[in-house]
Amino acid sequence: MTKLYYNKVTNVFGVSYAILDRQEYPNASISTSLTTIGDWIAYEQTDKPQTLPYQTVVEGIPTFDEVTDPETNEVSLSNGTQSWIITNKEVNEILLSSLRKEVKDKITNKRWEVEVSGLTFPNGISVKTSKDDQDRILSVIINAERNGITQIDFKADSGWTTVTIFTLKQMAKELTYFVQHCFNTEKFHHQAVDALTTPESIYTYDFSNNWTYSSTALNDKTVNIYDKSTIDIVTLLYSNFIFPTVDGSVVLVSEQTYVAAQAVIDKDYYGMADILPTQFYYLLAKSGLDNAIDTLLPPLKTENLAKYSMYKSYLNGARYYEFSKAYHMYLDIKAKILVVDENLDFTLQQLKTLWTEASEAQL
């Protein structure tokens, strides 16, 4: 156990050697050769000692004056009853590096405290944020998707709430941003300490700022809300753990949440249920779109690899298919589809009818 120190005069206890040596009395040497009776005693426990059968460390309360020995010219600190020699510590890179490490260790401890302190979302729901809590959410998402579960009862730190897996993903994403913010702040303070060049500036460095995390700090991208009211849209997004800001009649979200936010709005606007992959391919076959897509995908691979990869992964990888994504994908390549087959010109209502039929198909 680390040895701590107790002051018999001031009753201060729980003080480490490093604090005495480098912060409280940085110009005085603290000798472990106990030849002088002082006020500081060493003990190896975390509570205030009740008895005093401990060794004395040569240190005292800060009411000392410099005294010069007339014979030796040796300078010492003295309060009349105890004294010790002043050491003029050489300020070199070794000393500065040691001091920086102490401060950076405190910064790292601060980051850990903030990281595990929990996160309260703007909708009032709070969650725990330790690594185990983050892993637990990720495990629920993976197992739910693997087993086709779309909605769960989730026990947040603030109480029970029913969420969709989509919503849980948004929570997990926000937690990722939160943890990254904690590490970014730690890095910022570490770099600031590394730039300091004097013991005093290192001792007094204030690392208490910039730890506060905001879910809505970077909302600058406009989403399409169609003919819905901003209140309805904000309520909808909040319930899905996406936290917009409103500027007049404009709803703004962050760059990171834009795609998810628009998907939530579209899904609510079109009011169409998700369908399974087999139902989705049933729709493609029923409409004849499968032949057109099979024809268009290979050329797209050489024309636009990013878009090809997006379409291919969507067609092959999704467990459920959302109408809004499928509809916008159709609009995106509609001109090319009509070149393959001009009869594949569907209106929104026709596609909604096909989608509803596919979702009801017994496959």
Side-chain angles (χ1 to χ4, degrees):
M1 180 179 292
T2 302
K3 186 177 292 185
L4 301 175
Y5 295 92
Y6 166 65
N7 192 293
K8 294 183 292 184
V9 176
T10 63
N11 291 324
V12 173
F13 65 98
V15 180
S16 70
Y17 182 89
I19 290 176
L20 289 174
D21 185 34
R22 291 177 175 165
Q23 294 184 31
E24 300 296 336
Y25 308 97
N27 293 321
S29 64
I30 299 179
S31 172
T32 55
S33 60
L34 305 171
T35 58
T36 307
I37 295 177
D39 295 323
W40 290 95
I41 59 171
Y43 65 98
E44 294 184 357
Q45 59 189 65
T46 56
D47 58 333
K48 181 178 178 180
Q50 300 303 311
T51 57
L52 308 176
Y54 302 97
Q55 291 179 316
T56 303
V57 65
V58 184
E59 187 54 87
I61 56 178
T63 55
F64 293 82
D65 297 317
E66 289 188 3
V67 177
T68 303
D69 189 299
E71 295 183 2
T72 64
N73 289 326
E74 188 175 64
V75 180
S76 63
L77 287 179
S78 176
N79 66 352
T81 60
Q82 52 178 294
S83 62
W84 56 91
I85 298 173
I86 294 177
T87 57
N88 294 317
K89 293 184 179 181
E90 179 185 356
V91 178
N92 54 30
E93 191 54 41
I94 294 176
L95 173 63
L96 293 178
S97 295
S98 176
L99 299 178
R100 291 190 191 107
K101 183 180 184 304
E102 286 186 20
V103 176
K104 288 197 286 187
D105 285 346
K106 294 178 182 178
I107 293 170
T108 296
N109 289 337
K110 173 68 174 179
R111 186 267 304 157
W112 183 84
E113 290 173 3
V114 175
E115 181 186 347
V116 302
S117 64
L119 179 63
T120 299
F121 295 96
N123 59 5
I125 295 176
S126 60
V127 296
K128 295 180 179 179
T129 52
S130 70
K131 186 177 185 304
D132 287 344
D133 295 310
Q134 296 174 54
D135 290 344
R136 192 174 298 113
I137 292 177
L138 180 60
S139 176
V140 171
I141 293 172
I142 293 173
N143 289 324
E145 289 191 325
R146 182 179 297 157
N147 294 287
I149 299 172
T150 60
Q151 184 171 287
I152 66 164
D153 291 324
F154 179 75
K155 189 176 183 180
D157 198 33
S158 54
W160 288 100
T161 181
T162 301
V163 297
T164 64
I165 297 305
F166 172 87
T167 300
L168 203 59
K169 286 182 178 180
Q170 292 304 120
M171 292 172 61
K173 185 185 296 183
E174 199 69 32
L175 286 179
T176 300
Y177 295 149
F178 166 69
V179 171
Q180 188 59 55
H181 166 77
C182 292
F183 278 95
N184 286 344
T185 303
E186 178 188 8
K187 179 183 177 182
F188 168 81
H189 285 301
H190 276 204
Q191 290 176 335
V193 170
D194 283 335
L196 302 176
T197 57
T198 65
E200 182 180 5
S201 63
I202 297 173
Y203 296 145
T204 59
Y205 178 74
D206 180 11
F207 55 86
S208 62
N209 57 345
N210 296 333
W211 295 102
T212 302
Y213 175 76
S214 173
S215 300
T216 60
L218 300 175
N219 286 344
D220 57 2
K221 195 168 178 62
T222 303
V223 290
N224 182 8
I225 65 173
Y226 303 103
D227 56 355
K228 289 182 170 292
S229 70
T230 56
I231 294 177
D232 288 342
I233 292 297
V234 169
T235 301
L236 174 66
L237 294 180
Y238 262 55
S239 67
N240 284 278
F241 283 76
I242 300 173
F243 307 107
T245 53
V246 177
D247 183 7
S249 61
V250 176
V251 177
L252 301 171
V253 298
S254 67
E255 180 73 31
Q256 295 91 336
T257 60
Y258 172 75
V259 172
Q262 193 62 64
V264 168
I265 295 170
D266 287 351
K267 184 175 181 179
D268 182 74
Y269 178 75
Y270 291 121
M272 306 297 288
D274 294 346
I275 58 179
L276 296 168
T278 51
Q279 296 170 327
F280 184 67
Y281 282 106
Y282 172 88
L283 180 153
L284 294 181
K286 176 78 174 181
S287 63
L289 285 167
D290 56 338
N291 293 329
I293 291 175
D294 288 341
T295 302
L296 293 174
L297 275 180
L300 187 60
K301 187 174 184 179
T302 56
E303 177 186 325
N304 189 327
L305 186 58
K307 184 173 290 187
Y308 166 82
S309 301
M310 180 182 71
Y311 285 161
K312 194 71 174 178
S313 63
Y314 180 72
L315 291 173
N316 294 339
R319 179 170 293 277
Y320 291 91
Y321 288 88
E322 298 175 14
F323 177 79
S324 62
K325 288 185 179 179
Y327 176 57
H328 287 295
M329 183 183 294
Y330 169 75
L331 293 180
D332 188 41
I333 58 174
K334 182 177 179 179
K336 293 182 178 181
I337 288 176
L338 296 181
V339 171
V340 176
D341 187 344
E342 61 183 12
N343 295 316
L344 300 179
D345 185 5
F346 297 105
T347 64
L348 171 61
Q349 187 56 50
Q350 287 174 321
L351 287 176
K352 289 176 73 173
T353 300
L354 285 167
W355 192 273
T356 301
E357 179 185 327
S359 67
E360 296 172 349
Q362 300 297 318
L363 302 173

